[in-house]
Amino acid sequence: TECLEYTLSKFDFMNGVLGVENASIRFFGKELSNITDMEIVELLVIMKNPAYYQKNPDSELFEIERKRILKKLGYNTSHI
């Protein structure tokens, strides 16, 4: 778990945003401990391709990836 924590704390979201804690503040205006499950999923989507998804958060590809992650986590995405 230390390796994962280190990686998440150093992940480069680009544009001067390093780590998931800073990303949650930058993208959602709140500390990581206060973001929702959906916001966590959005961070996971952005981590897949920060350069693209930061510029295109409303894209169809963002939505497809978000639903894919939600399904893997066991969420029902039929109503989303």
Side-chain angles (χ1 to χ4, degrees), residues 17-59:
V17 180
L18 287 176
V20 292
E21 181 70 42
N22 290 325
S24 69
I25 292 168
R26 167 77 161 63
F27 300 127
F28 309 116
K30 48 190 169 181
E31 294 181 5
L32 185 61
S33 61
N34 295 321
I35 65 174
T36 66
D37 288 349
M38 194 61 69
E39 290 166 336
I40 292 170
V41 169
E42 290 181 19
L43 287 178
L44 292 172
V45 172
I46 293 170
M47 289 176 80
K48 185 170 182 183
N49 187 341
Y52 177 79
Y53 288 121
Q54 278 193 56
K55 293 178 185 175
N56 303 288
D58 298 323
S59 73

Side-chain angles (χ1 to χ4, degrees), residues 5 35 71:
E5 286 177 23
I35 65 174
K71 281 183 182 180

Side-chain angles (χ1 to χ4, degrees), residues 6-24 26-27 54:
Y6 177 81
T7 301
L8 292 174
S9 72
K10 302 295 182 191
F11 186 86
D12 187 357
F13 283 87
M14 305 189 70
N15 301 318
V17 180
L18 287 176
V20 292
E21 181 70 42
N22 290 325
S24 69
R26 167 77 161 63
F27 300 127
Q54 278 193 56

